[in-house]
Amino acid sequence: MAEAEAPKAEAPKSEAPKPDEPTTPIQELWATVKAQSHPEVWGVTLADPATHIPSQIVLQKYLNANDGDVVKARDQLTKTLEWRAKLQPLELIKKSFNKTKFEGLGYVTQYVSSDEKSDDPESREIFTWNIYGGVKSIDETFGNLDEFIGWRVALMELAVQELSLSTATKPITADWDPYKIFQVHDYKSISFLRQSPAVKAASTETIKVFATAYPELLKEKFFINVPVIMGFMYGIMKLFVAPKTIKKFHPMSNGGNLAKEFTDSKVPGLGDKLPAEYGGKGADLKAQGKEPAI
């Protein structure tokens, strides 16, 4: 009598994902957002990135900042949401800061192509300017760490507003992202050799906050009117910095040469639009820029 054949093993069936189950890295980050009480980042009230381009841009930036590592991106996004819930950066824009401490120390400028109505994000360039040489009293400006960070965040939020992320219509990728800002730090008349503890504390905290809460928003950063010895030190530092970061940092001993750095911009004649002090033909920062309320 022939033995009965054992039933053939069947290949395991792959179950279809449930409707609310994340299926892509972006959707995983969206799930992280939904688990938090604060839904806003950079003026964008986050929604399903599958249908809401501003949300796709924000979440993709967190992925890009972490080279596609979802676990790290999720952790950074969570920290950002918790930080924004606590600090309320959009409210800081409405706040008036101490005139004696902060007037003239930070500006935001926007330069656009001739077609000002274009919704092409590459048709405009946004700059933040930190004029540290204008500090009247180190102890007053940097002495109250929370107050300084509040002012510095307000300046950054003003710049981010100019990106118009909440009305953006073009999604970004890992390789294409025009929603970024030029940063200029002017150290004219500043002595690097006599940094006070207050300045060091403010610098350290600013770097920490911006690294966590504003990823992938920097296009390039220019350190200008840097003493020659500091330019040399930056050159040495570049030997130890990741290539991805190196190309974004540019120390310059002469701020008057800044305008020559923007020949590749899609905003025609961008360099000429900068203030004359920086090699352009435009008005000074006080006239053409905006600063946090004082």
Side-chain angles (χ1 to χ4, degrees):
M1 184 176 178
E3 294 183 6
E5 288 188 8
K8 294 181 179 180
E10 294 184 4
K13 295 180 180 179
S14 57
E15 295 184 8
K18 299 175 183 177
D20 58 349
E21 191 175 85
T23 56
T24 65
I26 287 286
Q27 285 297 323
E28 286 191 45
L29 295 187
W30 171 228
T32 298
V33 173
K34 290 188 288 185
Q36 296 291 316
S37 60
H38 185 83
E40 172 273 333
V41 174
W42 309 332
V44 175
T45 300
L46 298 173
D48 187 347
T51 56
H52 190 238
I53 290 177
S55 296
Q56 185 275 340
I57 293 170
V58 172
L59 299 182
Q60 184 67 46
K61 280 182 178 287
Y62 279 82
L63 280 175
N64 292 351
N66 292 282
D67 297 320
D69 188 318
V70 180
V71 174
K72 291 181 179 179
R74 190 165 55 223
D75 178 65
Q76 185 175 9
L77 178 60
T78 299
K79 289 177 179 176
T80 298
L81 291 168
E82 292 172 349
W83 176 80
R84 293 187 75 87
K86 179 181 179 181
L87 199 68
Q88 296 293 320
L90 296 184
E91 293 301 312
L92 290 176
I93 296 178
K94 305 172 187 176
K95 177 181 177 180
S96 292
F97 292 88
N98 186 294
K99 184 174 182 178
T100 302
K101 296 180 181 181
F102 300 109
E103 183 180 24
L105 301 188
Y107 297 93
V108 174
T109 58
Q110 177 178 193
Y111 306 101
V112 299
S113 63
S114 56
D115 183 8
E116 296 190 19
K117 294 182 180 180
S118 172
D119 63 353
D120 180 1
E122 293 184 297
S123 69
R124 62 177 179 267
E125 300 284 15
I126 314 301
F127 283 68
T128 60
W129 305 77
N130 292 89
I131 314 300
Y132 290 122
V135 172
K136 300 177 182 67
S137 167
I138 286 177
D139 290 335
E140 285 198 6
T141 298
F142 300 102
N144 184 324
L145 182 58
D146 289 342
E147 185 180 23
F148 174 80
I149 292 297
W151 171 81
R152 186 65 185 83
V153 167
L155 180 66
M156 185 62 179
E157 291 288 328
L158 282 176
V160 172
Q161 279 190 345
E162 298 294 329
L163 292 175
S164 303
L165 293 178
S166 62
T167 57
T169 58
K170 295 187 177 183
I172 66 173
T173 67
D175 303 311
W176 186 82
D177 178 4
Y179 302 97
K180 294 185 178 183
I181 298 164
F182 285 112
Q183 293 185 3
V184 180
H185 287 207
D186 188 346
Y187 292 100
K188 190 175 183 179
S189 303
I190 285 288
S191 171
F192 284 87
L193 304 180
R194 293 187 290 120
Q195 270 198 351
S196 72
V199 171
K200 290 181 180 178
S203 299
T204 300
E205 184 64 17
T206 301
I207 291 170
K208 186 191 307 181
V209 167
F210 277 57
T212 299
Y214 297 99
E216 291 295 305
L217 286 171
L218 175 66
K219 183 171 288 188
E220 291 184 86
K221 179 179 286 189
F222 296 89
F223 302 88
I224 65 174
N225 293 317
V226 175
V228 173
I229 186 172
M230 288 304 298
F232 171 76
M233 289 175 65
Y234 272 111
I236 297 298
M237 287 170 58
K238 284 186 175 184
L239 297 175
F240 305 97
V241 177
K244 182 179 179 180
T245 305
I246 287 175
K247 70 176 188 176
K248 292 185 177 182
F249 288 79
H250 310 282
M252 301 176 64
S253 59
N254 183 1
N257 290 328
L258 181 63
K260 300 175 183 178
E261 298 292 323
F262 306 104
T263 55
D264 293 335
S265 174
K266 291 192 176 182
V267 175
L270 176 59
D272 287 344
K273 299 175 187 289
L274 268 55
E277 180 179 357
Y278 300 105
K281 299 177 181 178
D284 61 23
L285 289 174
K286 189 75 174 177
Q288 65 168 273
K290 62 170 68 173
E291 58 184 313
I294 51 176

